[in-house]
Amino acid sequence: MENGLLNLKAMDSEQLREHGHKMVDFIADYYKNIENFPVLSQVEPGYLRKLLPDSAPVQPESLESVLEDVQTKILPGVTHWQSPDYFAYFPSNSSVAGFLGEMLSGGINMVGFSWITSPAATELEMIVLDWLANLLKLPSDFLSKGPGGGAIQGTASEALLVVLLAARDKVLREVGKDALGRLVVYGSDQTHSSLLKACQIAGIHPENCRLLRTDTYNEYALSPESLTDAISHDVASGLIPLFLCATIGTTSSTAVDPLLALGKITKRYGIWFHVDAAYAGSACICPEYRHHLNGVEEADSFNMNCHKWFLTNFDCSALWIKDRSALIQALSTTPEFLKNKASQEGTVVDYKDWQIPLGRRFRSLKLWMVLRLYGVENLQSYIRNHINLAKKFEDLVAQDPRFEIVATRTFSLVCFRLLPANKNEEYVNKVNRELLDAVNSSGKIFISHTVLSGKYVLRFVVGAPLTEERHVIGAWKLFQEAASTFIEN
Amino acid sequence: MENGLLNLKAMDSEQLREHGHKMVDFIADYYKNIENFPVLSQVEPGYLRKLLPDSAPVQPESLESVLEDVQTKILPGVTHWQSPDYFAYFPSNSSVAGFLGEMLSGGINMVGFSWITSPAATELEMIVLDWLANLLKLPSDFLSKGPGGGAIQGTASEALLVVLLAARDKVLREVGKDALGRLVVYGSDQTHSSLLKACQIAGIHPENCRLLRTDTYNEYALSPESLTDAISHDVASGLIPLFLCATIGTTSSTAVDPLLALGKITKRYGIWFHVDAAYAGSACICPEYRHHLNGVEEADSFNMNCHKWFLTNFDCSALWIKDRSALIQALSTTPEFLKNKASQEGTVVDYKDWQIPLGRRFRSLKLWMVLRLYGVENLQSYIRNHINLAKKFEDLVAQDPRFEIVATRTFSLVCFRLLPANKNEEYVNKVNRELLDAVNSSGKIFISHTVLSGKYVLRFVVGAPLTEERHVIGAWKLFQEAASTFIEN
C-alpha cells in the first residue's frame, strides 16, 4: 500500500484526523482524572523494563493497544507536573492555549533554521518577543528593530550558555584566544547551577567562576560590595573579568539581586551583564512586581522561561540581547548547502546563528497563542492568583508555632521548615528531610527542598495551572498531620 | 473566575477537549490541502509585521480568530516541509504516529531532567533506544545494560557537541587543561558544519580543526591515508589528536566514510571516534543497507536523527555512547535543590547529565509510538520506497543528455545538474543557480543545492512522507521544461 505501510499510513489527513481525535480525548481524560494519580511517581527503578518487550514489534500495533499501555504502564511512572497538588521545583505550565500551539507546531513540523525555511517562524518569533519585551517594559535596545533582539531558546541553561559564548568570543577577539584561562565569571552562591555548567562547556576554568557568598541578612541577594571586591582582586591578579549572571528569583529562595547597582559595576569594568529571570520574569508583567526588574536597562542580555509560569508548554525560554552581532559572531556557520538569496542579501534573521543547534521548532506559535487566547489582563490575574495562594500558605505556616518561615516570600515560593523542640541543627535537618519524604511518598502532594545557610528547607511553590485554594489548604493539612507525628516522636 | 481567566481557563479538561478537537481538524485539513500551497514560501522579508498588531491583546481572543490568522497570515509564510513536493535539504518527517506522540508528550508536559521527575520518561528512553540500537545492529557496548547507553538529543549538532565535550574533558583530565590549544579535531571537507561550530563552542581552535580534502575519485569519502598523514604531522608538531567525526551519508552527496579503516586509525592514536549518521542511519535498519555501518563497532559514539527519515516529528536525535561516564563527567551538576534519594543511591540514570540543557521533554514517547504503530517491516518498506523513487528520478535524469549525474546515488539523494552546450564552468554554475531559482520560485517544488569540486549541484532528496511516484515524475517534468528555457537561451 501507499508508502509501504499496511495499516496506518506514514501521513494521511483522514487517519491523522481520526487518531488525533482519539488522542485529544485521551489527554482530556488525563486532565479530568489527574487528581487521582500519586503526584510523585511511586515506582521503583527499572520498573518499566519488566513491563515492555525486549524489541520493537515487527508488525504494527493499534493505537488502542498503545494507549492501553500508556494508561497502565507509562502513567504510573509519570510525576504529574500538571497536577494541582504539584508544588515542587518551579512550575512548568501546560495550558489549553500552550497545548494547542504545541500541537499546531508539531502538525506543521517545519525546521526553521534559516528565514527561508519558513519565514513565518522567524518573523512571528521576532514579533512575539517584541510583544513580550514591551509587556516586561524591557529597554528598547532589546527590541528587534535595533541592533538587538529576542530569540526563543530551549531552556535557561542554553540561553545562559549562548550569551556566555558571545561574551567570551568578544573578549577573546580583543585580547587573544590564549587568554581563555584568565577569564573570570561572577555570580552568587544562589545562582543557578547552569552557570557552572556553561563555564565548563565554554572552557572557562571552574576556579575562575566566582560564586560569591550571600547571606540571610540581605535575603540571599548578591551584594554589590562583594562583587566589587572580587573584581578588584581579580584585576590585581592579572585576570580578566568577563561576565556577571544576576538573578531575579533564585531557585532556592527567589532572591532578587540588585540589578541597578550590579549593572553599574559591570559597566565600569566592561563586563557582560546577564539577567536570569527564568521563573520570576513572568510576575514582572504585573505593574506591582515590575520594580524587581529596575536596572535591567544596564543588562546586555535578559532571559525568562515562558515554559515555567507563563502558560506556555515546555520548552520556550525567551532570551533578549542588546548586541545580536556578538551572538552571531560566536555561533554562525554558513556552509554552501545553507546559502540562499535572502540570507546573503542580509535582509533577514537566520536564527540558526543565535543558538547551539541548527534545527529549530516553530515555538513562537504557542507563545503567540497564549498571549492571544488569554490576553494580558488574564495573564496578570493568573500570576496574582498564584501569589495570593502562596501568601495564604505562608499565613497558615506563620500561624503554627511548630513551623518557621525561613526566607521572606517575594513571589509564589514559601521556604519553611518544621522546628521541633530539640533545636540541634543536625536533628532539625533530619526531621525535615523525613517530613519531605513522608509527604512526597504519600502521593498526595509533591514538594522539593533546598539548603539555606546550612538549614534544610522545604520549598512550597504555587504555580500549577489547576491549583486552587482547596489544594493549598489540603497540602497544609498534610504538613500539619505529618508534623504531629514528628513532633511526638 | 477560576485561575483568573475570563473565557478560556488556564487548564480545563473539557475546554482542552473542545479546542483540541478543533485544532486536530485544522491540522488534518492542512494535510488534506497541502499540495495547494507553494512549497517554498513566496513572501518578502518583513511581510508578517505588516499583518500583525504591534502589541499583545489586553483582552482574550477566540480560537477561531487565531486559526483564521494562521490560515491567512501564517501559512503563506510557511515553507511546507511535509509537502509531497518537498525535495530540499534532508527530509524532516512528520507522521501520524509521530504527531500523536508529540501531542501526548505536550499533554503530559513534564520536565524530565532527573529520573524522579518522571521515571517513565527516563526508562522509556533507555528501552526505546535499546530497541533502535538492536534494529541498527549497533555493538552491544552501546546498550544501556553496560557502561554505555543512548539518549535523545535535540539535534545532531547537540549530539556532536556533547561527545566532543566528553572527549575534550577526558583528555584534559590526563594532560592538563592548559593543553586545550593543542587539541586537534578531524573530519573531512564534507563533514557537517556542526563540527566546526562544536569546536568553536568547546574552545578548540578553528585552525586545529582539520577538514581533510575529499575528491570525486573516491566519491567524497574521507581517505584513511589522508587521516593518517594529518595525524602523523600533528603528533610530530606536538599537537594532541583528540576526535574524529566520520559521516555515513554526508549532507552534500551522502558520501559514506570507511568506518572500519578510520576506526583502526583512531584506536592506534587513542582518538575519540564519532559516527554521524544523522540522515542515512535510518536506511541501515534495512539489511541491504546495513553494510554501510560496518566498522561502527570501532566507534565511541554514534548518532542518527529519527526526526529526519524515521517518521518521528522534530526534534528527536538518537545518540549512543560506549562510555557514559565520560559524558557525565563533562556535563554533570548536582545542586542541592536537585538532590534526591534515587539519584544519590546511584541506581538510576539522570539524563540532565547527558545533555546541554537541564530540562527535557518526553521525546521517547513519539519514537516508541512510531516503532509500535508502524512496526519494523513497514518502516523498512517506507525507506525502500523512497530509495526506489530516488532511483526512478536518477534514471529519468540519466536518460536526458542535457543533464548529468554529479555523484553516485547511495540512498535517496540525487545530485545532478544541467549541462548546457557552453561548458565553461562559471557559466554552467550560473545556469544551474538560475534553474534552481526558477523551479523554487514556481512554488511547485522545493529543492536545495550544494557545491562539489567547484560544481554548483542540484540536490533532489526523496523523503517526505506523502511523496509518491507522481510527484517525482511531476518534479522531473518541471526540470525538463525549465531546461528547455535555459538551453535555448
Side-chain angles (χ1 to χ4, degrees):
Chain A
M1 292 183 73
E2 254 173 20
N3 290 318
L5 301 173
L6 288 170
N7 301 315
L8 190 63
K9 291 180 188 172
M11 180 47 74
D12 177 274
S13 60
E14 297 318 306
Q15 288 187 332
L16 181 142
R17 194 187 308 274
E18 183 197 334
H19 288 76
H21 284 309
K22 285 182 193 165
M23 186 58 91
V24 165
D25 283 329
F26 184 88
I27 294 168
D29 290 343
Y30 169 67
Y31 279 101
K32 196 164 141 190
N33 301 312
I34 198 163
E35 294 193 46
N36 300 337
F37 296 101
V39 188
L40 176 67
S41 172
Q42 306 288 318
V43 300
E44 292 295 316
Y47 90 101
L48 191 56
R49 199 170 288 268
K50 296 172 195 149
L51 302 176
L52 294 185
D54 288 336
S55 57
V58 174
Q59 297 302 329
E61 300 179 72
S62 68
L63 180 60
E64 284 67 28
S65 71
V66 171
L67 289 181
E68 172 69 21
D69 276 0
V70 173
Q71 193 69 46
T72 60
K73 298 171 183 169
I74 301 296
L75 287 184
V78 167
T79 292
H80 302 278
W81 287 63
Q82 304 313 319
S83 164
D85 296 311
Y86 179 97
F87 303 103
Y89 307 113
F90 279 132
S92 179
N93 285 179
S94 179
S95 70
V96 176
F99 171 73
L100 295 173
E102 189 68 86
M103 202 201 299
L104 182 57
S105 165
I108 295 174
N109 200 52
M110 63 87 231
V111 186
F113 44 80
S114 303
W115 179 86
I116 197 176
T117 66
S118 270
T122 297
E123 298 197 8
L124 186 64
E125 189 160 327
M126 294 167 71
I127 292 167
V128 171
L129 289 188
D130 281 350
W131 286 8
L132 187 52
N134 285 328
L135 278 186
L136 292 165
K137 301 197 192 307
L138 294 184
S140 62
D141 309 359
F142 283 132
L143 299 178
S144 63
K145 65 179 180 221
I152 296 174
Q153 306 282 329
T155 61
S157 303
E158 290 158 275
L160 183 55
L161 174 59
V162 297
V163 294
L164 180 64
L165 294 168
R168 180 196 71 179
D169 288 1
K170 193 175 176 184
V171 165
L172 292 184
R173 278 194 298 275
E174 290 161 17
V175 299
K177 62 195 170 197
D178 292 334
L180 181 62
R182 292 196 289 132
L183 301 182
V184 188
V185 168
Y186 303 87
S188 84
D189 56 7
Q190 301 299 310
T191 304
H192 194 271
S193 54
S194 54
L195 180 64
L196 253 179
K197 184 160 175 170
C199 287
Q200 173 68 16
I201 292 166
I204 290 166
H205 297 179
E207 65 269 27
N208 287 352
C209 192
R210 313 256 173 274
L211 301 180
L212 304 170
R213 192 190 153 133
T214 60
D215 220 327
T216 180
Y217 79 89
N218 65 348
E219 300 284 358
Y220 301 103
L222 175 55
S223 124
E225 292 72 33
S226 70
L227 178 65
T228 308
D229 289 351
I231 293 174
S232 307
H233 185 264
D234 287 329
V235 170
S237 310
L239 298 177
I240 304 169
L242 173 70
F243 188 91
L244 167 67
C245 177
T247 310
I248 303 301
T250 59
T251 309
S252 281
S253 67
T254 65
V256 175
D257 291 337
L259 300 190
L260 198 58
L262 296 172
K264 291 199 183 307
I265 300 168
T266 61
K267 285 291 154 300
R268 197 180 320 145
Y269 290 94
I271 297 174
W272 187 292
F273 183 29
H274 177 67
V275 175
D276 169 6
Y279 154 73
S282 299
C284 301
I285 65 161
C286 301
E288 67 272 31
Y289 296 105
R290 172 57 179 76
H291 66 93
H292 292 297
L293 292 189
N294 288 351
V296 68
E297 55 279 6
E298 305 288 333
D300 295 291
S301 48
F302 176 84
N303 173 236
M304 164 192 146
N305 282 349
C306 303
H307 61 240
K308 277 197 163 69
W309 199 14
F310 205 69
L311 292 169
T312 313
N313 289 43
F314 187 83
D315 52 355
C316 184
S317 181
L319 170 68
W320 291 269
I321 188 164
K322 275 187 185 163
D323 172 18
R324 63 174 177 251
S325 74
L327 201 56
I328 292 167
Q329 282 185 272
L331 295 170
S332 173
T333 52
T334 307
E336 182 63 39
F337 56 84
L338 294 182
K339 287 182 183 162
N340 64 83
K341 257 193 204 171
S343 299
Q344 288 177 284
E345 285 169 0
T347 52
V348 297
V349 162
D350 288 331
Y351 272 130
K352 71 181 174 61
D353 299 332
W354 298 50
Q355 62 173 21
I356 304 294
L358 174 58
R360 62 203 318 270
R361 294 180 297 133
F362 200 161
R363 288 180 292 210
S364 55
L365 273 180
K366 55 186 172 184
L367 181 54
W368 182 55
M369 289 184 65
V370 163
L371 288 164
R372 291 191 61 179
L373 293 180
Y374 295 127
V376 176
E377 277 189 9
N378 285 329
L379 290 165
Q380 290 169 333
S381 305
Y382 177 75
I383 295 287
R384 287 172 183 141
N385 180 48
H386 283 154
I387 295 180
N388 286 338
L389 291 178
K391 193 171 179 324
K392 171 85 193 174
F393 186 83
E394 182 189 31
D395 291 345
L396 292 169
V397 176
Q399 284 162 27
D400 188 326
R402 297 172 301 173
F403 289 86
E404 71 164 355
I405 304 282
V406 182
T408 305
R409 183 196 52 75
T410 308
F411 303 104
S412 73
L413 166 67
V414 180
C415 288
F416 70 112
R417 63 172 185 166
L418 183 63
L419 206 54
N422 174 351
K423 292 196 170 47
N424 170 286
E425 200 67 61
E426 204 173 309
Y427 176 74
V428 177
N429 285 351
K430 180 176 161 287
V431 164
N432 278 283
R433 252 194 313 271
E434 289 171 6
L435 177 59
L436 178 112
D437 280 348
V439 298
N440 283 348
S441 60
S442 77
K444 290 180 187 161
I445 66 168
F446 179 33
I447 61 159
S448 56
H449 80 282
T450 192
V451 169
L452 287 169
S453 306
K455 296 176 188 169
Y456 188 94
V457 176
L458 307 177
R459 291 174 75 266
F460 185 88
V461 191
V462 182
L466 286 166
T467 303
E468 299 170 22
E469 190 174 79
R470 66 188 169 94
H471 302 104
V472 171
I473 291 172
W476 173 242
K477 284 197 180 134
L478 206 62
F479 284 110
Q480 286 193 302
E481 285 162 21
S484 307
T485 325
F486 283 103
I487 296 276
E488 278 162 22
N489 283 348
Chain B
M1 292 187 75
E2 254 172 19
N3 290 318
L5 300 173
L6 289 170
N7 302 314
L8 191 62
K9 291 181 189 171
M11 179 49 75
D12 177 274
S13 61
E14 297 318 306
Q15 288 187 331
L16 181 144
R17 195 187 307 272
E18 183 197 334
H19 288 77
H21 285 309
K22 284 182 193 163
M23 186 58 92
V24 165
D25 283 329
F26 184 89
I27 295 168
D29 290 343
Y30 168 66
Y31 279 100
K32 196 163 139 190
N33 301 312
I34 198 165
E35 294 192 45
N36 301 337
F37 296 101
V39 189
L40 175 67
S41 171
Q42 306 288 319
V43 299
E44 292 296 316
Y47 91 100
L48 191 57
R49 198 170 289 268
K50 296 173 196 148
L51 302 176
L52 294 184
D54 288 337
S55 56
V58 174
Q59 298 301 328
E61 300 180 71
S62 68
L63 180 59
E64 285 66 28
S65 72
V66 172
L67 289 180
E68 172 69 21
D69 276 0
V70 173
Q71 194 68 47
T72 59
K73 298 171 184 169
I74 301 295
L75 288 184
V78 167
T79 292
H80 301 279
W81 287 63
Q82 305 312 319
S83 165
D85 296 310
Y86 179 97
F87 304 103
Y89 307 113
F90 278 133
S92 179
N93 285 179
S94 179
S95 71
V96 177
F99 171 73
L100 295 173
E102 189 68 85
M103 204 202 299
L104 181 57
S105 166
I108 294 174
N109 201 50
M110 63 87 233
V111 185
F113 44 81
S114 302
W115 179 86
I116 197 177
T117 65
S118 269
T122 297
E123 298 197 10
L124 186 64
E125 188 160 329
M126 295 168 71
I127 293 166
V128 172
L129 290 189
D130 280 352
W131 286 8
L132 187 52
N134 285 328
L135 278 186
L136 291 164
K137 300 194 191 310
L138 295 184
S140 62
D141 310 359
F142 284 132
L143 298 179
S144 64
K145 66 181 178 216
I152 296 175
Q153 307 282 330
T155 61
S157 302
E158 290 158 275
L160 183 55
L161 174 59
V162 297
V163 296
L164 180 63
L165 294 170
R168 180 196 70 178
D169 288 0
K170 194 174 175 183
V171 165
L172 292 184
R173 278 193 298 274
E174 290 162 16
V175 300
K177 62 195 169 194
D178 292 334
L180 181 61
R182 291 195 292 132
L183 302 181
V184 188
V185 168
Y186 304 86
S188 83
D189 57 7
Q190 301 299 308
T191 303
H192 194 271
S193 55
S194 53
L195 181 64
L196 253 179
K197 183 161 175 170
C199 287
Q200 173 68 16
I201 292 167
I204 289 165
H205 296 177
E207 64 269 28
N208 287 352
C209 191
R210 313 255 172 274
L211 301 180
L212 304 169
R213 191 190 154 133
T214 60
D215 220 328
T216 180
Y217 80 88
N218 63 350
E219 300 285 359
Y220 302 102
L222 175 56
S223 126
E225 293 72 33
S226 71
L227 178 64
T228 308
D229 289 351
I231 293 175
S232 306
H233 184 266
D234 287 328
V235 170
S237 311
L239 298 176
I240 304 170
L242 173 72
F243 187 93
L244 168 67
C245 177
T247 309
I248 305 301
T250 58
T251 309
S252 281
S253 67
T254 66
V256 174
D257 290 337
L259 300 190
L260 198 58
L262 297 172
K264 290 197 183 307
I265 300 168
T266 61
K267 283 291 155 298
R268 197 182 318 146
Y269 290 94
I271 297 174
W272 187 292
F273 183 28
H274 176 69
V275 175
D276 168 6
Y279 154 74
S282 299
C284 301
I285 66 162
C286 301
E288 68 271 31
Y289 297 105
R290 172 57 180 76
H291 67 92
H292 293 297
L293 292 189
N294 287 350
V296 69
E297 55 280 7
E298 305 288 335
D300 295 290
S301 49
F302 177 83
N303 172 236
M304 165 192 145
N305 283 347
C306 303
H307 61 239
K308 278 198 163 68
W309 198 15
F310 206 68
L311 291 169
T312 313
N313 289 40
F314 187 83
D315 52 356
C316 184
S317 181
L319 170 69
W320 290 269
I321 188 163
K322 276 186 185 165
D323 172 18
R324 64 175 176 250
S325 74
L327 201 55
I328 293 168
Q329 283 185 271
L331 295 170
S332 174
T333 52
T334 307
E336 182 62 40
F337 56 85
L338 295 181
K339 286 182 183 160
N340 64 84
K341 258 194 203 168
S343 299
Q344 288 177 285
E345 284 168 2
T347 53
V348 298
V349 162
D350 289 330
Y351 273 130
K352 70 182 174 60
D353 299 333
W354 298 51
Q355 63 175 19
I356 303 294
L358 174 59
R360 62 203 317 269
R361 294 181 297 135
F362 199 161
R363 288 179 292 210
S364 55
L365 273 179
K366 56 186 172 183
L367 180 54
W368 183 56
M369 290 184 66
V370 163
L371 288 163
R372 291 191 62 180
L373 292 180
Y374 296 127
V376 176
E377 276 189 9
N378 285 328
L379 289 165
Q380 291 169 332
S381 305
Y382 176 75
I383 295 286
R384 287 171 183 139
N385 180 47
H386 282 154
I387 295 180
N388 285 339
L389 291 179
K391 193 172 180 322
K392 172 84 193 177
F393 186 83
E394 181 189 30
D395 291 345
L396 292 169
V397 175
Q399 284 161 29
D400 189 327
R402 297 172 300 174
F403 289 86
E404 74 165 351
I405 304 283
V406 181
T408 306
R409 184 195 52 74
T410 308
F411 303 103
S412 74
L413 166 67
V414 180
C415 288
F416 70 110
R417 63 173 184 165
L418 183 63
L419 207 55
N422 173 351
K423 290 195 171 48
N424 171 285
E425 200 67 60
E426 203 173 310
Y427 176 75
V428 177
N429 286 350
K430 179 174 162 287
V431 164
N432 279 283
R433 250 195 314 272
E434 289 171 5
L435 176 60
L436 178 112
D437 281 346
V439 296
N440 284 348
S441 59
S442 78
K444 290 180 186 160
I445 67 168
F446 178 34
I447 61 160
S448 56
H449 80 283
T450 191
V451 169
L452 287 169
S453 305
K455 296 175 187 170
Y456 188 94
V457 176
L458 307 177
R459 291 173 76 264
F460 185 89
V461 191
V462 182
L466 287 166
T467 303
E468 299 171 23
E469 191 173 79
R470 65 187 170 96
H471 301 105
V472 171
I473 291 172
W476 172 242
K477 283 196 184 136
L478 206 61
F479 284 110
Q480 286 193 302
E481 285 162 22
S484 305
T485 325
F486 283 102
I487 297 276
E488 277 164 22
N489 286 348

